């Protein structure tokens, strides 16, 4: 194992001072400081990681987000925060996946600011994603969802439940910091046909929510696995693009939907937590979608359709990486806002005006792991064509997109989909047809430039 070597020059420095004094010279104070604080980082530190799984199932009925206004009457399966902490010896990075539908970016800002103020955690190093199940409670202010779907948000958001979700997230991160242990990392790909393009086209070329077997799709499963020192798995991260909509608005039971069921199934098989990270699922549905209950929607079949495919791919992963360096990055993509669209007050910092045109300021995050893994994320429901193109043009052999991360602005369809109209284009997008290209070129440029050449920076000592 390679370690950080600190060169203690005190002994030699004392000898030098003694000889200088005998010679009758004086030593500048700046040189004194140089000698007494000189540290050389010669090699990387041992990779460490931890995982925490926290139950966020409510104990009372809650309004569910994702369809019409409706309140839960029971619990089909529990929902969780799954939190992974990664430490490369210089940087601690946290990935959270929560079994909820979506939340406003201002909710992320609120929690990230608390983590930074109280615990010294850099917001760039905290990614909070959601599985996008449509059978989970609302969290935080309504944000743009309240602009798009005001008729669904006429009730009060449960502040107590939101507070509980926030507190358990913070507590889980702090627990993960304490549980860090030496691990090895492996990376790989899988394949599953559990999803399908949901932009059904009629004879007039107009789109509606349905199934389009000829439409664009992304069926790759991106996998990251951390193994303990004894070779047993610590946690498996599975990145797959698919809406959490097996069950429709007729379902009133709280559930993680297909992402939650698959996670629990694979956990039981491998004996370790599984973190499901959704991808560019804006135009991708599960192949069984919007059924009135779990039986009609063949919910358990996703254990085979996706769960077994994750298990097959997991067997091929070799976890040989025990030293790594992480590099984080960010950029803001400014793209025109849809004309005439209102904006949510809690998101004022994400809007600007240039030459009389209202612009959306879309935050994008990046994580580089060594020289061959790149992950990027954005707070949107992205159409899969964009993440597919970014992956194809990326200089990194493993490029993953984490969707629904650090909030939600709505859908970002590609320019080719705008003439077809439909729900994603007309109802729940703040963007214009220029947005997908703006994002694609900005992300590819960043990956090919900044992230390819950027090296780890020296960071201040972390707070305990």
């Amino acid at each position: 194992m390679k370690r950080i070597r600190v060169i203690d020059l005190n002994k030699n420095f004392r000898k030098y001072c003694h000889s200088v004094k005998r010679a009758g010279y004086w030593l500048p104070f700046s040189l004194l400081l140089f000698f007494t604080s000189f540290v050389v980082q010669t090699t990387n530190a041992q990779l460490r990681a931890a995982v925490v799984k926290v139950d966020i199932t409510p104990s009372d009925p809650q309004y569910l987000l994702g369809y019409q206004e409706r309140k839960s009457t029971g619990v089909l399966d529990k929902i969780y925060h799954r939190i992974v902490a990664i430490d490369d010896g210089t940087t601690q990075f946290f990935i959270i996946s929560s079994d909820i539908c979506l939340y406003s970016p201002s909710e992320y800002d609120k929690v990230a600011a608390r983590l930074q103020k109280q615990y010294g955690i850099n917001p760039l190093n905290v990614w909070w994603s959601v599985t996008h199940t449509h059978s989970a409670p609302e969290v935080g202010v309504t944000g743009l969802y309240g602009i798009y779907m005001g008729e669904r948000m006429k009730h009060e958001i449960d502040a107590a439940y939101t507070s509980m979700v926030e507190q358990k997230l913070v507590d889980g991160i702090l627990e993960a910091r304490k549980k860090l242990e030496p691990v090895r990392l492996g990376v790989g790909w899988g394949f599953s046909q559990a999803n399908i393009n949901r932009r059904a086209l009629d004879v007039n070329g107009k789109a509606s929510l349905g199934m389009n077997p000829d439409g664009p799709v992304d069926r790759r499963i991106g996998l990251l696995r951390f193994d303990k020192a004894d070779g047993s798995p610590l946690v498996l991260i599975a990145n797959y693009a698919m809406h959490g909509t097996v069950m429709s608005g007729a379902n009133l039971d709280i559930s993680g939907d297909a992402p939650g069921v698959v996670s629990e199934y694979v956990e039981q098989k491998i004996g370790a937590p599984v973190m499901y990270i959704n991808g560019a699922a804006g135009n991708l549905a599960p192949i069984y979608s919007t059924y009135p209950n779990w039986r009609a929607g063949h919910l358990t079949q996703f254990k085979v359709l996706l769960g077994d495919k994750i298990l097959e791919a997991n067997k091929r992963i070799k976890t040989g990486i025990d030293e790594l360096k992480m590099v984080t990055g960010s950029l803001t993509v400014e793209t025109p806002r849809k004309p005439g669209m209102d904006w949510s007050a809690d998101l004022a910092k994400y809007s600007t005006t240039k030459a009389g045109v209202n612009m959306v300021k879309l935050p994008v995050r990046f994580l580089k792991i060594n020289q061959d893994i790149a992950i990027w994320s954005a707070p949107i429901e992205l159409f899969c064509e964009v993440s597919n193109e970014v992956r194809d043009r990326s200089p990194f052999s493993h490029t993953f997109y984490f969707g629904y991360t650090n909030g939600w602005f709505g859908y970002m369809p590609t320019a080719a989909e705008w003439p077809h109209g439909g729900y994603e284009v007309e109802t729940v997008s703040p963007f214009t047809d220029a947005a997908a290209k703006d994002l694609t070129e900005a992300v590819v440029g960043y990956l090919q430039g900044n992230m390819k050449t950027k090296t780890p920076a020296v960071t201040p000592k972390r707070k305990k």
Side-chain angles (χ1 to χ4, degrees):
M1 182 192 307
K2 297 181 179 179
R3 298 187 182 278
I4 303 297
R5 182 165 61 93
V6 179
I7 300 177
D8 184 357
L9 298 177
N10 288 342
K11 182 177 180 181
N12 292 334
F13 178 62
R14 286 192 295 270
K15 292 181 179 179
Y16 176 76
C17 289
H18 184 64
S19 64
V20 168
K21 183 177 180 181
R22 284 189 302 176
Y25 297 112
W26 62 277
L27 189 67
F29 182 67
S30 59
L31 188 58
L32 174 66
L33 290 178
F34 170 78
F35 271 102
T36 56
S37 63
F38 185 63
V39 177
V40 176
Q41 180 172 310
T42 58
T43 53
N44 293 344
Q46 166 71 50
L47 168 64
R48 297 188 301 156
V51 61
V52 172
K53 181 179 176 182
V54 185
D55 190 343
I56 57 170
T57 311
S59 58
D60 55 352
Q62 292 288 320
Y63 282 100
L64 306 180
L65 189 64
Y67 298 114
Q68 78 281 5
E69 186 177 69
R70 71 203 200 282
K71 207 165 192 178
S72 67
T73 58
V75 175
L76 179 64
D77 50 86
K78 292 183 177 181
I79 56 177
Y80 299 92
H81 288 314
R82 291 174 173 87
I83 301 166
V84 171
I86 311 169
D87 189 314
D88 68 358
T90 301
T91 301
Q92 284 186 354
F93 194 88
F94 302 91
I95 304 172
I96 305 101
S97 178
S98 302
D99 290 319
I100 57 178
C101 184
L102 54 87
Y103 62 87
S104 179
S106 63
E107 174 66 21
Y108 166 79
D109 291 338
K110 175 184 175 184
V111 174
R114 177 180 172 187
L115 288 168
Q116 183 176 38
K117 181 178 180 180
Q118 296 182 2
Y119 307 107
I121 298 174
N122 188 338
L124 281 179
N125 299 340
V126 179
W127 288 17
W128 182 11
S129 183
V130 298
T131 62
H132 200 52
T133 170
H134 283 41
S135 297
E138 303 161 337
V139 172
V141 298
T142 61
L144 286 178
Y145 191 82
I147 300 291
Y148 304 136
M149 301 290 186
E151 74 281 359
R152 301 181 183 181
M153 311 301 295
K154 295 178 180 178
H155 55 272
E156 293 264 340
I157 301 293
D158 189 329
Y161 181 72
T162 293
S163 179
M164 182 267 278
V165 168
E166 294 171 352
Q167 188 61 52
K168 288 195 172 185
L169 190 153
V170 171
D171 291 345
I173 286 177
L174 298 181
E175 181 182 350
R177 294 179 95 178
K178 296 176 182 178
K179 294 175 62 177
L180 288 164
E181 62 180 291
V183 294
R184 291 177 297 173
L185 170 66
V187 60
W189 294 105
F191 179 83
S192 169
Q193 299 185 85
N195 61 10
I196 189 170
N197 189 290
R198 70 177 199 168
R199 297 264 295 165
L201 297 180
D202 210 335
V203 292
N204 59 4
K206 294 303 179 182
S208 60
L209 295 178
M211 291 190 295
N212 181 0
D214 299 318
V217 71
D218 180 8
R219 288 180 168 146
R220 284 203 192 188
I221 309 167
L223 294 174
L224 294 165
R225 193 179 79 222
F226 293 93
D227 284 353
K228 302 176 185 178
D230 63 6
S232 63
L234 174 75
V235 62
L236 177 65
I237 300 175
N239 178 210
Y240 187 73
M242 182 178 70
H243 259 74
T245 54
V246 169
M247 294 180 289
S248 71
N251 169 64
L252 300 181
D253 285 336
I254 289 171
S255 172
D257 205 273
V261 166
V262 169
S263 297
E264 289 292 305
Y265 171 72
V266 179
E267 284 182 7
Q268 293 170 8
K269 293 293 185 179
I270 69 172
V274 173
M275 173 179 280
Y276 185 104
I277 302 286
N278 221 319
N283 52 349
L284 301 180
I287 59 170
Y288 299 111
S289 190
T290 60
Y291 284 80
N293 56 63
W294 67 272
R295 292 184 183 86
H298 309 276
L299 183 60
T300 58
Q301 289 186 19
F302 285 88
K303 297 178 181 180
V304 176
L305 294 166
L306 180 54
D308 283 347
K309 303 303 181 184
I310 292 173
L311 290 169
E312 291 172 11
N314 179 57
K315 292 177 181 178
R316 299 191 293 268
I317 294 177
K318 304 298 183 183
T319 52
I321 304 170
D322 62 359
E323 298 169 1
L324 61 76
K325 295 307 293 183
M326 295 184 290
V327 177
T328 59
S330 66
L331 62 82
T332 298
V333 178
E334 294 188 355
T335 188
R337 191 201 308 175
K338 185 184 293 183
M341 182 188 160
D342 292 334
W343 198 250
S344 181
D346 67 301
L347 299 177
K349 64 182 279 188
Y350 297 104
S351 179
T352 190
T353 302
K354 290 189 173 180
V357 177
N358 290 326
M359 308 287 285
V360 179
K361 298 171 67 176
L362 180 67
V364 184
R365 297 283 183 85
F366 297 87
L367 173 65
K368 180 171 77 170
I369 300 176
N370 289 349
Q371 296 301 318
D372 56 353
I373 302 172
I375 309 172
W376 67 286
S377 67
I380 50 176
E381 291 201 53
L382 186 63
F383 274 32
C384 68
E385 299 95 306
V386 175
S387 65
N388 288 348
E389 181 176 349
V390 169
R391 185 171 60 213
D392 290 343
R393 295 170 62 186
S394 171
F396 298 89
S397 58
H398 290 85
T399 301
F400 304 140
Y401 170 69
F402 286 8
Y404 306 93
T405 299
N406 298 347
W408 183 86
F409 283 92
Y411 285 78
M412 184 181 284
T414 58
E417 290 298 318
W418 279 77
H420 300 299
Y423 170 77
E424 302 94 339
V425 170
E426 298 168 354
T427 307
V428 283
S429 175
F431 305 108
T432 70
D433 60 1
K437 183 177 181 181
D438 290 342
L439 178 64
T440 302
E441 296 307 318
V443 170
V444 170
Y446 197 87
L447 290 172
Q448 293 178 348
N450 296 54
M451 289 304 284
K452 189 64 179 175
T453 60
K454 196 173 182 181
T455 56
V458 176
T459 56
K461 185 177 180 181
R462 297 185 298 267
K463 293 182 180 179
K464 298 294 184 182

